[in-house]
Structure formats: structure tokens, C-alpha cells
Amino acid sequence: MEDAYARSVVEVLDFFGVDPTKGLTDSQVARHVRIYGKNGTAFWKLVLKQFDDLLVKILIAAAVISFFLALINGETGLTAFLEPSVILLILAANAAVGVITETNAEKALEELRAYQADIATVLRNGCFSILPAAELVPGDIVEVNVGCKIPADMRMIEMLSNQLRVDQAILTGESCSVEKELDSTIATNAVYQDKTNILFSGTVVVAGRARAVVVGVGANTAMGSIRDSMLQTEDEVTPLKKKLDEFGTFLAKVIAGICVLVWIVNIGHFRDPSHGGFLRGAIHYFKIAVALAVAAIPEGLPAVVTTCLALGTKRMARLNAIVRSLPSVETLGCTTVICSDKTGTLTTNMMSVAKICVVHSVQQGPIIAEYGVTGTTYAPEGIVFDSSGIQLEFPAQLPCLLHIARCSALCNESVLQYNPDKGNYEKIGEATEVALRVLAEKVGLPGFDSMPSALNMLSKHERASYCNHHWEIEFKKVSILEFSRDRKMMSVLCSHKQMCVMFSKGAPESVLSRCTNILCNDNGFIVPMTANIRAELESRFNSLAGKEALRCLALALKQMPINRQTLSYDDEKDLTFIGLVGMLDPPREEVKNAMLSCMTAGIRVIVVTGDNKSTAESICHKIGAFDHLVDFVGRSYTASEFEELPAMQQTVALQHMALFTRVEPSHKRMLVEALQNQNEVVAMTGDGVNDAPALKKADIGIAMGSGTAVAKSASDMVLADDNFATIVAAVAEGRAIYNNTKQFIRYMISSNIGEVVCIFVAAVLGIPDTLAPVQLLWVNLVTDGLPATAIGFNKQDSDVMKAKPRKVSEAVVTGWLFFRYLVIGAYVGVATVAGFIWWYVYSNEGPKLPYSELMNFDSCSTRETTHPCSIFEDRHPSTVSMTVLVVVEMFNALNNLSENQSLLVIPPWSNLWLVASIILTMFLHILILYVPPLSVLFSVTPLSWADWTAVFYLSFPVIIIDEVLKFFSRKSSGMRFKFWFRRHDILPKKEFHEK
């Protein structure tokens, strides 16, 4: 029912056919489930997502082609299935890592969801019962009271108290609670704020009790509509994913070109007798081309990238950052702007009393005394200090502070309690009332010299409201006048030792106008309120509310006749003024340093809030991170001010903006889009439902752990501790992960270039195949994969947060670097072929053939030779080649400890994981050489000591070559080689954001 807010109570009840005294019957519930549904990432989609990668798709194609070629060639059984099976097993392992990591992140989120209320008190069949919120249907009658989380969108039908107030900040961003009413709304284009008779799903009742009828569940709620808008937002491609995709496209073209070239070069050999015909010759060289494709593609790359990101998520989880999407880890590294929600992110979202203002004395004109109060949470921990900063040892010994504590504890309907599961103090009720309860605890009790230390000895559960309970026992509540909009105050009548006292609190302008006396703080005397005193207090109130942006309340009391049992509005006059309290949602203590770290790292922070401009600017000054700004001129805009600017001025404003106020959800998303259009990489933090669309749109959405389920679902990362400072640690981790990712990508590129050169040179020289496809797969998976993964453990640089964010367009491999790795790759390939030729031509254990015989091996069967033709099927030469390839890549892995630093500066033991991976790789390689079943599977044979000596001599020079290239890099001489390439970056550059 979409227009329930515009209908009367009777019309809504008739629409659902429900009796407000009995609720729905079981048959009605069943019918409504069929009509409206209940209140409430497929696994297979998560699996398919892991295969959505160009290199992976090329490999799958290679596996399929390999299988069909084997069948065409008449191969059956293990031989036909071996190569494609190994490829598919590698891809399955990669997918498993990705799925497990992402599902683990989802499980962590499920644990966070346990903090959300999920039950409702429902009237059905004439009886009230407590049911899961997911079982609600439209037409259900639900009762709500203080502390209750609204389980669905509901239309008010009956008020069971003087008023009902609801905190709907998660939906609208309003910092104050909203009073609800029964009357229908006449507004035509009503927004959420206009629907004062609707209780929105997920909002919280902070005062009063009422009954309402469910009018919307699931997707048909205010939350559901926001979820729909999020679903319409397409996911942005992360920078690394984009670079890897570009690299995959580039590699696919190169592979295709080389494969065709190899095939064409060997057309003359198609008719060689050894193949048994032209067609079989064509198929043979097509298999070589497929082997070349397998060699060129770093099969381990997707798995290694996934594993490295997964390791990063583990480290970040220890920092209280739960990563929901693996690529978002890396996106953090190039974030240039953080759009941070103010409430609950930069602030604690726990209202606290910061200032107390009382009349000290009036003997020589009114002297106003101000006290400060420390503490930024609901924990009853903090001190009271005077204007000179000196701590008050016993605040409750001062008359005004004592009566302020009493009034705060008694004129109050909230609850402060300790939650042992979460390890923190929680509120039930209005935030301002809980702030007063906490103040009463900080002021303490009079008459005990050891009061502060005695209170600290209590358990946290007892400490939560110890002083409040003391005053509630001393002063028995007799009657209450609840808050109303016209009076803007509330009062409570209490009895205490044969006397009655009325305590009042409310808006300063309302309370002050009803005060005729004041309480003096120096001697406890009550004196008449004069015009001078009133003017001084009003001036102080305007200063607190204006300049310091504090939310102020005035407290007062009145002596009442003995045995008085009731209160009337007429009693709220001739009051005695006690004092003013100023409260605020305090900034988190660690935020200042975190924001300064962002500035050092070249990351701009824009504070985004629904609050008014002056309040937000005051909070930003209190944070201390904007001290470098003289004022906020040209840096602070309301949403309406920004929208009114011409397009060119909006562009300039975005470049300098530090504060964006009076925003609605649509404005947040608009801000993210505008920044992205300027090629900024935007991180958006938030916790409310109203933040969700912007979280989804941002390059990386960061939700608070205590935030709403909708915000978490829209985000890429969840801060379990709600701490803005955690973002800084996460950014540093993201940058380190990218640096390591870049290193192992470069390592794998150089290794695979070597394999391509090896096959290409062998084909051009016309010698037998140096490596079988399954041997190439083994090298790519094990020898490339393990060291490459270990490179991901390289420690982050100490100055990782002192560098500016890298540009999104920055190529993973630049021109000079690609030249370096071409040189290294060329040597790897030539050394591998050299090992093959060495065994045939020079080895004492080989046949010592003339080189010309080796080149004409394919015509061996048609002419007389001094050796049997079976020598060309010997497994020794390919074993030597494969071992050279493995060992040279181990040395190359050591080269990748640093991009430009010598191994003399950064020795191998600086990354023990890499050393361990090299040892393990060599152990696995020796295993397949010397264990018979494995040696047959991989077509290898044991090597002699002379073979190993030759392998070492051919492999070690790669260290010397790279040391020379690193020397040129450090001297910047390598830059002169840029002209060798048509463009500076070997990987294509594109804009990150689709316009």
C-alpha cells in the first residue's frame, strides 16, 4: 500500500481487512503471504565470477583445442586428457581461492548482522506474540515501544502514550528524533520527512509506545527502494583488474601473432616424412602453436593475484577492515579522495555533554562559570574541569553541579547499560537524555572523599548507572509531564524526605522564560533572576549554540507542596534556574592523526553531512585536521549552493572542497559521480541506509560495522571498529599489495617471455621440441606460482604513505621495464635451448652429434646416419632444458626482491618466504625427476652431476645481467631506451571511468 500516509486509520485497516483488536487470523496471514510476500549472491554466480577473466578464457580455449587435437591424432585415455585436465585443475584451484575468500568475507558480515534486531511484537488471532520480523505480512498489527527497532514500514493506528518519537537518521540523516502522529498527511509530493504517520523499517523508537499496521515489507519498504537504486548501479572496474584485462588483451594479440608466425615459418616442414603426411604435419605444428600459447600465458597469474589479494584481506582483517570484494584491496592504493560521512564516522555518534554553564555568584554583578567535561562515548568515564583547565576533584560538592546531576538523572526516561558481548556501553532512548545520564555518572555523588576511586572499583555492569540509580532511590518519581512541541520541555515530580521537588529540562529559551530565581554555585543560595542575569545567560547560550555549535538544554527545579501527587502545565512557572548544558556528537580522538596521514599521502578528505553548515564547520575545527585552512571560504558548500553554481565553477569548487553540507542521498551519489568525472578515485564512507547508493557508486565503498545491513551490502569493505583511522592502515596495505603485485607480474612476464623465446627459437632453428606442453604447464604452475606468491610477502616500504597516490592510468609495465624483461626473457629462452643443444652436441653422456644432424632430425628416417633415430625421442635433453628453465627462473625470482635495488643491498633473506618457496620448488622439481611414476608423467629422467653443473653455468648469468640492468635503471640511463618503443607504456592507457 503505497499511499498509506495519505489515508485515514480506518481506510488503511479496511484495505487489509484487519480488526485492530484481534489482528490477522492464520488464514489471512497465509493469503497475505501469497499476495504480498514475506519480509526478507547465489553461490554458482560467485564461482562463475572467478572465470570472468580474459587470460582464463584463453586457457580454457587452449585446453579444449588441445583435447580435440589429441582425439584427431588418435590419442586416447590418459594421454588425451592429461594436458587439458592439468589446465582445468589449475583454473579450478584459482577459482576455489577466490570463492573461499569472498564467502569468508560474507560470513564475517553475517556475524556483524547479529547486532541487528530481528523480532516484532505482533497481534494475531487476538493474542500478542513475539515473532521473527521476516514472518511479518502487510496487515499485521505490531506494538512498538522505547528501544524497539521498527521491523517493517507501518502506518500508526493507536497512540499508547503522550507521544511517540523515532530516530530515523539512518534513513533521512536527521540528527534529531522525529515525533510521529496519527493524522493523515495532505502533502502532495510527500518525502520521508513529511510522512509523520509512517514508521519506517530499520528506524528506532526513542520515546513512547504505539501500535501500527504493517503496510510494506521486504522490497516494498523505504529501505527496499534504496536497495533497488543500488542494484541499478553498475560495479566499477578496479584499476588493477583493468590493467590485467588490458594486459590480457595485449598478450592475446601477441600470442595470436606469434602462433600464426610459428605455423607459417614451418609450412615447409608439413610434408616431412616423420609426420606421415601434410595434414598430420599441419596438426603437429598447430600443437606447437598451442604449446606456445600455453607458454605465453602466465597460468598462475590469476591464482597468484587472487592469493596475494587474499593474503592482504587476512592482514586487513587483523586491522578490523573486513574486505567483501578482493579487488577493492588494491583500489584503496590509488584512492585520491575520501568522501567521509560525518556522523558516526568522524564522530562517535554518541552525544556527550561537553560544557556546563552556571551562575557562580551575583554579589558584584552576574559571574558566569563554565566547566568542561571530557569523554567522547557513552562510557561513564571522564572528568569535569574549570575554565582554567584544572580538574575538579569532587564536582558533586558544588551546589549547581550537584543539582544538575540530580536533574539529569531524574528528568530522564532513557537507559544506559553495558553490553558484555560487544564490550561497550549502549543507549536505549534519546541520545540527549543518555548524554545527561552519563554526565550524572561523571559528576558522581556527594559526601564521599574516595568517590572517584570507589566508583572505578565497580564492575562495568554496575558502573553503567550507579549514580543514576542512587538518585532514583533517593528521589521517588511521582508524576511526569512529557515533552511536547509547544512547551519544548519536560518535568518530573519527585518526593524526597517529606518534601516534593519538580525537576525540569528543555530548550533554553523556554525554560529561561519560566525562571524567576537562580541557584548560585558559590554558596547554594537561591536569589531572584534579574534582567542583567537573564541577558548574560542568553548571551552565553547564543555563544554555545552558535559559535561552538553545541546543542543546549536548560535545567531548573521548583519546590512543590508536600504530598503533591500530580503535575499540570501551570506548575511549570516560577522555576529556579540551575544551569545550561551544551552537548555535541564528539569527534573521534584518533581521527585527527588519521586525516593528517591522508594529507601526507596525497589523499583529500571531503566531509559530507546532512547537518547545517555552521555546525559542520565547528565540528571540522574541533577535529583539528583542518587547522591549515584559515577559513572555509571556497571550501565549504551546502548542496543547494553547489547545485546553483555554473558548471565551470562547480569544477573548480570540487577541486578545493573540504565540506559538503545539508545533503540528501541523491547529493552524495552526485558528488561521487562528479569527482569520478574528474578522474578521481573515490572512496565513500558511511553507515546509514541513506549512504548506500553512494557507497555502491563509489570506486570503493566503506561501511561501518555498526551501520545498517543495506550500507554493508552496498560496500566493498566494512570497518568492524567504525574507526576512520583504520582506513589509513587499509590504504597503506592496499599500496603495499599493489607494489608486490606489480613485482610478481613483472617476474611472471619475464619468465613467460623466456618460455616463448625457447619454443620460437627451437622452431626457427628446426631442432626437436625442447619442452613438452605438460612440462611447460608444470613450470608455469609450480616454478612460477610459488615464488611469485612469495614475492607478495615483500614487506611494505616505510615511506609507503608518504608518496602521492599512483595515477590510475599508470601502466603496470613501462617501456624501459619491458625492454629489461625482454632482455632477461630472451636470455632465459636462449639458455633453455642452449641446454637442449648442449646435451646433443657437447655432453659426454649424449651422442655428440654434429649440429647439422640435430637441425635435420626430421629427415633421419630417410637417410643413413651414424646414430639411431630413436635418439631424438630421448628424454634427457628436454629434462636438461626444463631444469635450466626452472633454475634460471629461481635466480630471476631473487632479482625481483626489488625493482631497482641490487641483491647486495636487499639480500635474499630479507624475504624468507621467497627463500622457502625456492627451496620447495627445487624439492618438487627433484621429486618429479627421481620418482618414477612422476618422471613418466612429465616425460623427464634423472640427471647426472655433470648435467647439474651445466644447468648451473647456464642459469646463473641471469643474476649478472639483471644487476647490470638495475645499475642502468638507478643511473636513469635506461630512460634513453624509450625511443625503441612506439609509445611510453607497453600496456595501453585508458580512462578509468566510463564517461
Side-chain angles (χ1 to χ4, degrees):
M1 189 177 189
E2 294 183 359
D3 61 345
Y5 65 90
R7 306 275 190 96
S8 67
V9 172
V10 175
E11 285 178 307
V12 175
L13 293 172
D14 287 346
F15 180 86
F16 292 110
V18 59
D19 182 343
T21 61
K22 295 180 180 178
L24 294 175
T25 62
D26 290 340
S27 60
Q28 284 179 306
V29 170
R31 189 167 69 252
H32 286 197
V33 167
R34 288 195 302 273
I35 298 170
Y36 305 108
K38 278 192 176 183
N39 204 16
T41 310
F43 182 76
W44 63 271
K45 286 185 179 177
L46 205 56
V47 173
L48 287 180
K49 179 182 172 186
Q50 309 306 317
F51 291 93
D52 187 20
D53 181 275
L54 184 61
L55 292 182
V56 170
K57 289 170 185 172
I58 293 171
L59 272 175
I60 292 171
V64 172
I65 292 169
S66 174
F67 177 66
F68 277 112
L69 286 177
L71 291 181
I72 292 168
N73 232 12
E75 295 176 24
T76 56
L78 182 65
T79 321
F81 286 99
L82 182 61
E83 190 178 317
S85 298
V86 173
I87 294 175
L88 294 175
L89 278 172
I90 293 165
L91 296 177
N94 171 52
V97 172
V99 169
I100 289 167
T101 309
E102 295 201 19
T103 49
N104 281 346
E106 292 295 334
K107 284 176 187 171
L109 268 151
E110 286 298 330
E111 291 169 11
L112 284 169
R113 287 191 183 118
Y115 291 109
Q116 297 154 6
D118 57 359
I119 57 172
T121 305
V122 188
L123 178 64
R124 283 185 183 173
N125 302 309
C127 299
F128 275 104
S129 57
I130 295 175
L131 295 176
E135 293 185 11
L136 288 179
V137 295
D140 266 326
I141 305 295
V142 178
E143 186 167 306
V144 296
N145 50 31
V146 175
C148 171
K149 185 165 278 191
I150 307 298
D153 278 12
M154 306 191 293
R155 166 68 159 90
M156 294 267 292
I157 61 170
E158 185 181 358
M159 193 80 76
L160 302 176
S161 60
N162 289 348
Q163 63 165 351
L164 185 82
R165 299 188 70 82
V166 176
D167 178 357
Q168 54 187 42
I170 61 160
L171 190 66
T172 61
E174 295 164 288
S175 55
C176 300
S177 60
V178 178
E179 187 173 351
K180 296 295 182 178
E181 55 193 26
L182 298 176
D183 297 337
S184 57
T185 304
I186 56 172
T188 48
N189 296 317
V191 294
Y192 295 143
Q193 290 91 329
D194 298 327
K195 299 175 184 178
T196 52
N197 53 22
I198 299 290
L199 305 178
F200 296 106
S201 173
T203 60
V204 181
V205 178
V206 294
R209 183 165 154 254
R211 283 182 193 163
V213 60
V214 176
V215 295
V217 294
N220 298 316
T221 61
M223 272 194 176
S225 64
I226 289 180
R227 190 183 287 271
D228 288 343
S229 73
M230 286 155 44
L231 292 173
Q232 292 165 10
T233 304
E234 293 182 9
D235 291 338
E236 292 284 351
V237 180
T238 67
L240 181 61
K241 179 76 169 72
K242 198 167 185 67
K243 285 293 160 201
L244 290 178
D245 285 348
E246 290 173 5
F247 175 60
T249 307
F250 170 75
L251 202 58
K253 292 173 183 175
V254 172
I255 290 166
I258 294 176
C259 288
V260 170
L261 189 62
V262 167
W263 204 60
I264 291 171
V265 163
N266 286 286
I267 285 177
H269 296 286
F270 285 5
R271 296 185 185 277
D272 289 348
S274 61
H275 300 314
F278 183 86
L279 183 61
R280 285 190 174 275
I283 290 173
H284 173 78
Y285 285 104
F286 188 64
K287 282 193 75 174
I288 290 177
V290 171
L292 193 63
V294 171
I297 298 170
E299 291 86 351
L301 184 57
V304 172
V305 171
T306 304
T307 305
C308 188
L309 293 176
L311 291 169
T313 65
K314 290 283 186 189
R315 287 196 292 268
M316 292 172 80
R318 289 196 288 270
L319 299 171
N320 288 314
I322 298 169
V323 177
R324 298 187 66 242
S325 167
L326 283 184
S328 63
V329 176
E330 178 271 333
T331 311
L332 275 169
C334 53
T335 300
T336 57
V337 178
I338 298 175
C339 295
S340 175
D341 191 46
K342 178 183 73 68
T343 306
T345 307
L346 299 177
T347 65
T348 62
N349 200 18
M350 299 182 189
M351 196 69 83
S352 301
V353 174
K355 284 280 178 71
I356 302 173
C357 181
V358 299
V359 178
H360 184 68
S361 69
V362 294
Q363 294 171 355
Q364 298 175 341
I367 299 174
I368 307 297
E370 273 191 10
Y371 298 96
V373 185
T374 65
T376 59
T377 66
Y378 291 140
E381 300 157 1
I383 61 168
V384 182
F385 55 90
D386 61 21
S387 55
S388 57
I390 299 171
Q391 178 183 345
L392 302 183
E393 290 295 330
F394 307 106
Q397 291 181 355
L398 295 172
C400 286
L401 294 185
L402 173 64
H403 283 85
I404 283 173
R406 285 174 173 167
C407 186
S408 297
L410 298 166
C411 197
N412 201 317
E413 292 187 314
S414 66
V415 176
L416 176 65
Q417 61 188 19
Y418 180 72
N419 185 329
D421 295 331
K422 295 184 184 178
N424 59 18
Y425 292 88
E426 293 180 338
K427 72 177 178 79
I428 298 177
E430 285 274 19
T432 51
E433 292 202 330
V434 178
L436 293 176
R437 285 225 182 270
V438 176
L439 174 64
E441 296 297 327
K442 291 175 181 175
V443 170
L445 302 175
F448 297 97
D449 289 345
S450 61
M451 175 53 65
S453 57
L455 288 173
N456 291 334
M457 293 172 68
L458 297 171
S459 70
K460 291 189 174 181
H461 179 72
E462 293 173 311
R463 181 69 190 91
S465 295
Y466 184 85
C467 299
N468 281 276
H469 287 158
H470 171 84
W471 294 124
E472 286 169 349
I473 293 167
E474 288 278 311
F475 292 80
K476 299 291 184 185
K477 289 186 184 180
V478 178
S479 179
I480 297 175
L481 277 179
E482 291 186 350
F483 180 91
S484 65
R485 271 189 289 190
D486 54 341
R487 288 161 42 245
K488 292 184 180 177
M489 62 185 295
M490 76 168 284
S491 300
V492 59
L493 179 65
C494 301
S495 64
H496 172 67
K497 296 179 181 178
Q498 302 301 312
M499 68 174 186
C500 285
V501 182
M502 181 181 75
F503 291 99
S504 300
K505 76 164 192 285
E509 61 272 21
S510 297
V511 174
L512 274 172
S513 64
R514 299 166 193 260
C515 289
T516 54
N517 300 297
I518 58 163
L519 178 67
C520 293
N521 200 38
D522 62 343
N523 52 22
F525 290 171
I526 294 175
V527 298
M529 172 84 76
T530 64
N532 282 348
I533 296 172
R534 192 182 300 277
E536 186 64 31
L537 286 171
E538 286 175 351
S539 171
R540 197 57 60 97
F541 159 59
N542 291 331
S543 173
L544 292 175
K547 184 180 177 183
E548 299 189 43
L550 299 179
R551 187 174 180 187
C552 295
L553 288 176
L555 309 179
L557 58 79
K558 181 181 179 181
Q559 196 80 28
M560 301 294 287
I562 298 174
N563 298 326
R564 184 72 180 273
Q565 295 297 312
T566 60
L567 282 178
S568 68
Y569 294 146
D570 291 336
D571 292 321
E572 291 180 326
K573 59 184 180 182
D574 300 328
L575 305 179
T576 299
F577 176 82
I578 309 172
L580 284 171
V581 292
M583 54 187 76
L584 79 163
D585 181 4
R588 293 178 180 272
E589 293 172 354
E590 62 278 359
V591 163
K592 179 178 180 179
N593 289 336
M595 292 185 78
L596 291 174
S597 295
C598 286
M599 288 167 58
T600 307
I603 300 168
R604 190 154 55 98
V605 178
I606 299 177
V607 179
V608 182
T609 177
D611 283 348
N612 66 56
K613 199 172 183 178
S614 59
T615 303
E617 288 180 0
S618 174
I619 288 289
C620 287
H621 279 303
K622 283 186 171 70
I623 289 171
F626 296 99
D627 292 346
H628 62 288
L629 303 179
V630 179
D631 55 38
F632 280 97
V633 175
R635 296 180 182 272
S636 174
Y637 297 89
T638 64
S640 56
E641 286 173 352
F642 182 77
E643 285 182 318
E644 289 169 3
L645 291 175
M648 187 61 72
Q649 288 185 31
Q650 280 189 355
T651 303
V652 175
L654 278 172
Q655 292 169 355
H656 300 94
M657 185 184 288
L659 186 59
F660 197 42
T661 56
R662 303 301 289 171
V663 300
E664 292 178 357
S666 58
H667 293 134
K668 292 185 178 182
R669 181 169 168 158
M670 177 265 296
L671 176 65
V672 170
E673 286 179 343
L675 288 165
Q676 287 175 339
N677 287 337
Q678 293 192 359
N679 292 324
E680 302 280 10
V681 179
V682 185
M684 173 78 190
T685 71
D687 58 354
V689 175
N690 57 327
D691 298 325
L695 288 174
K696 184 79 172 174
K697 179 64 183 169
D699 299 307
I700 176 159
I702 306 170
M704 301 298 116
S706 63
T708 61
V710 181
K712 290 174 203 164
S713 300
S715 67
D716 300 295
M717 191 172 88
V718 179
L719 299 185
D721 60 355
D722 289 13
N723 196 335
F724 182 85
T726 302
I727 298 171
V728 180
V731 169
E733 190 63 48
R735 290 184 173 191
I737 286 170
Y738 178 76
N739 290 341
N740 291 343
T741 304
K742 198 164 57 169
Q743 282 301 100
F744 67 62
I745 287 173
R746 288 168 179 169
Y747 163 66
M748 296 184 93
I749 288 173
S750 62
S751 298
N752 284 75
I753 287 172
E755 292 166 20
V756 171
V757 169
C758 164
I759 292 175
F760 188 73
V761 168
V764 169
L765 293 178
I767 62 176
D769 299 342
T770 50
L771 296 168
V774 72
Q775 292 173 336
L776 280 172
L777 272 174
W778 171 257
V779 172
N780 278 352
L781 176 65
V782 180
T783 60
D784 285 5
L786 289 174
T789 305
I791 288 169
F793 285 96
N794 285 350
K795 293 176 182 176
Q796 67 172 245
D797 298 335
S798 56
D799 61 348
V800 73
M801 285 300 283
K802 292 178 182 174
K804 300 300 178 189
R806 62 184 172 82
K807 288 186 171 64
V808 175
S809 57
E810 177 187 300
V812 178
V813 182
T814 58
W816 162 243
L817 269 173
F818 193 68
F819 169 76
R820 272 177 56 180
Y821 291 107
L822 271 178
V823 172
I824 295 293
Y827 178 78
V828 170
V830 169
T832 306
V833 173
F836 187 87
I837 295 172
W838 169 83
W839 189 86
Y840 275 111
V841 179
Y842 300 108
S843 173
N844 292 326
E845 297 170 14
K848 292 198 174 182
L849 298 176
Y851 182 66
S852 58
E853 281 289 323
L854 186 61
M855 286 186 68
N856 296 307
F857 78 98
D858 47 3
S859 59
C860 175
S861 60
T862 62
R863 54 190 171 84
E864 288 188 13
T865 58
T866 56
H867 53 84
C869 291
S870 60
I871 195 73
F872 296 115
E873 293 174 11
D874 196 305
R875 290 183 296 171
H876 261 99
S878 64
T879 304
V880 171
S881 282
M882 183 182 176
T883 307
V884 168
L885 187 57
V886 168
V887 175
V888 79
E889 289 186 4
M890 294 307 99
F891 284 127
N892 193 27
L894 293 176
N895 287 336
N896 281 274
L897 278 167
S898 172
E899 187 177 310
N900 295 316
Q901 290 298 321
S902 168
L903 278 171
L904 298 174
V905 176
I906 300 179
W909 52 87
S910 64
N911 185 344
L912 292 175
W913 285 102
L914 182 58
V915 174
S917 73
I918 290 172
I919 292 169
L920 179 59
T921 299
M922 290 308 301
F923 171 76
L924 290 172
H925 183 68
I926 290 167
L927 204 65
I928 69 164
L929 292 186
Y930 296 96
V931 176
L934 292 174
S935 60
V936 172
L937 185 66
F938 288 96
S939 301
V940 291
T941 190
L943 296 180
S944 66
W945 183 251
D947 294 334
W948 279 106
T949 305
V951 165
F952 179 80
Y953 283 137
L954 285 168
S955 303
F956 186 76
V958 78
I959 294 274
I960 299 166
I961 294 168
D962 201 52
E963 285 293 314
V964 172
L965 291 170
K966 283 180 178 179
F967 175 78
F968 280 110
S969 288
R970 290 194 297 274
K971 298 296 181 184
S972 300
S973 301
M975 304 303 283
R976 71 180 62 150
F977 289 94
K978 280 183 190 174
F979 74 90
W980 286 29
F981 296 94
R982 192 168 50 134
R983 44 180 148 175
H984 175 66
D985 296 310
I986 205 69
L987 295 187
K989 288 185 180 181
K990 290 183 182 177
E991 290 299 319
F992 178 39
H993 300 290
E994 299 297 335
K995 296 296 188 290

